[in-house]
Amino acid sequence: MAINWFPGHMAKTRREIKENLKLVDVVIEIRDARISKSSANPDVEEICGLKPRIILLNKSDLSEKNITNKWIKELSNDKTKVLSVNCVTGEGIKNIKPAIDDLLLEKHSRLKAKGLVKITDRVMVVGIPNVGKSSFINKMAKNNIAKTGDKPGVTKSKRWIKTKIGIELMDTPGILWPKFEDDLVGLNLAFTGAIKDEIMDIETLALKLVEKLQNDYPENLMQRYKLNDLDENPLVNMENIGRKRGAVIARGEIDYNRVAIMLLDEFRGGKIGNISLERP
């Protein structure tokens, strides 16, 4: 199931990030904790280079905590701090300011030596669509400044947002990259809602999700949908889920579209349990 989605505004955003990088001290990259690898835009790595960076593994309440901790260890280095956060509830947000101060310790020392007392750090916020950038901006600014939504593509242009803790944030639209080299990356992004459902065959997507879950999280699948066992064929499991949920139309046929929408919504909302689709 080959998946790609790269609207024109994403190419523009990529150019703007490159042009505006010199204006900021730190880059905050927000990823989805359930897909800590697939939600990393390789363009960000290339564009940001040696710029100090904080990676926020957002939606950590939906992932397996022990797997997220392994990702934190895997992704951290001298120039990169990695934090687990929930941008909706604000969990972990308080750790961001200390992380910025640590990354910019030398710069702050130089400025203080020159007599500067009040220091404002400028931070660029980047990430793929629907990963929680707007929710993060609102938590940091303590205001509903940024539009939020459960569909990708809500933020359309960059803008500066001030906070009360000495940080100015540059909000940017979510960007993907022109071609996914690995089909699994595209699937993971589609599972978590980073790609618009409207451009995909969601019935096939949901079937792929069932296949993934029956292999990696069979107990979650059986418990959520009250299944006594699982078949080797994911289509049979998808049909059984449909019957359990009453998604049946004329002559006992399964309403696959209804089942697909339900499965994807319940996975994305964490109702199937804490699931990490990728491991380090």
Side-chain angles (χ1 to χ4, degrees), residues 63 74 81-82 108-109 204 209 222 233 238 247 270 276 279:
S63 67
E74 174 86 6
K81 302 283 185 182
V82 185
H108 287 176
S109 297
T204 302
L209 178 61
M222 288 191 291
N233 187 341
M238 186 171 173
S276 295
R279 289 162 169 74

Side-chain angles (χ1 to χ4, degrees), residues 71-127:
W71 277 114
I72 291 172
K73 186 176 179 180
E74 174 86 6
L75 298 171
S76 299
N77 58 51
D78 291 343
K79 284 283 186 179
T80 305
K81 302 283 185 182
V82 185
L83 304 172
S84 169
V85 299
N86 180 341
C87 292
V88 174
T89 64
E91 184 179 354
I93 296 294
K94 66 180 181 181
N95 299 321
I96 293 172
K97 173 63 173 169
I100 291 174
D101 290 343
D102 193 35
L103 285 171
L104 300 179
L105 185 61
E106 289 185 16
K107 180 178 180 179
H108 287 176
S109 297
R110 289 197 305 270
L111 292 174
K112 288 176 182 176
K114 294 178 180 178
L116 192 62
V117 177
K118 190 176 181 180
I119 299 172
T120 300
D121 299 314
R122 307 194 93 187
V123 176
M124 180 185 289
V125 183
V126 300

